[in-house]
Amino acid sequence: MQLRERNRGSSPMIGLTPLIDVVFILLIFFMLASSFLDWKGFEMSVAITDGKSTSQSDVRPVTINVDANGKLSLNGEAVSLSALAPMLVRDHTNAPVRLRPINGANLQHLVEVMDALGRGGVTDVDLVE
């Protein structure tokens, strides 16, 4: 009887099944460990119009201009971001607000103004061209 050695010149085979199992376990771990609910956001209804009023109202709309440097003007008067919402609530109650970007205003500045208005209780905001 002659005995031969098996797999004399070949290397042992490495199975991919355990590797795939580990990858799926890591995938499930990271999916469960991630949180997608930490996004900051604010709710505000914003309507985009062409700047022409279609409704006849007794209350005159208020225009907020935002320029490229983030400077704000309320009906032509310079105002700071922190004083904007309290001034609107105090002086222009229930007036529709028109937010107008001028001179290539940055989107981030517009979002900061909308955020400040939303936190201040102003909800009737239109974005005009």
Side-chain angles (χ1 to χ4, degrees):
M1 184 165 158
Q2 192 175 21
L3 296 175
R4 289 187 277 174
E5 271 186 46
R6 287 194 228 174
N7 301 330
R8 183 182 294 185
S10 64
S11 62
M13 297 274 297
I14 298 176
L16 290 180
T17 304
L19 179 64
I20 293 171
D21 290 343
V22 168
V23 168
F24 280 130
I25 289 171
L26 286 174
L27 178 67
I28 291 171
F29 170 77
F30 286 118
M31 284 173 51
L32 293 176
S34 298
S35 176
F36 298 107
L37 299 177
D38 291 333
W39 292 92
K40 291 184 179 181
F42 57 94
E43 295 202 18
M44 178 180 288
S45 72
V46 177
I48 298 176
T49 62
D50 61 356
K52 298 176 182 134
S53 177
T54 57
S55 65
Q56 300 296 328
S57 175
D58 294 339
V59 181
R60 210 172 139 213
V62 177
T63 303
I64 301 171
N65 293 328
V66 182
D67 70 359
N69 298 325
K71 306 262 187 204
L72 303 175
S73 64
L74 177 66
N75 288 337
E77 297 180 19
V79 65
S80 67
L81 182 61
S82 61
L84 181 64
M87 185 180 295
L88 283 172
V89 171
R90 184 184 68 230
D91 298 337
H92 304 283
T93 306
N94 298 327
V97 177
R98 293 181 176 169
L99 185 60
R100 176 175 292 158
I102 57 172
N103 299 332
N106 191 343
L107 179 63
Q108 182 63 37
H109 296 306
L110 292 173
V111 170
E112 289 171 357
V113 172
M114 287 190 296
D115 185 33
L117 291 174
R119 282 186 277 126
V122 179
T123 56
D124 187 13
V125 178
D126 292 331
L127 185 63
V128 295
E129 297 175 329

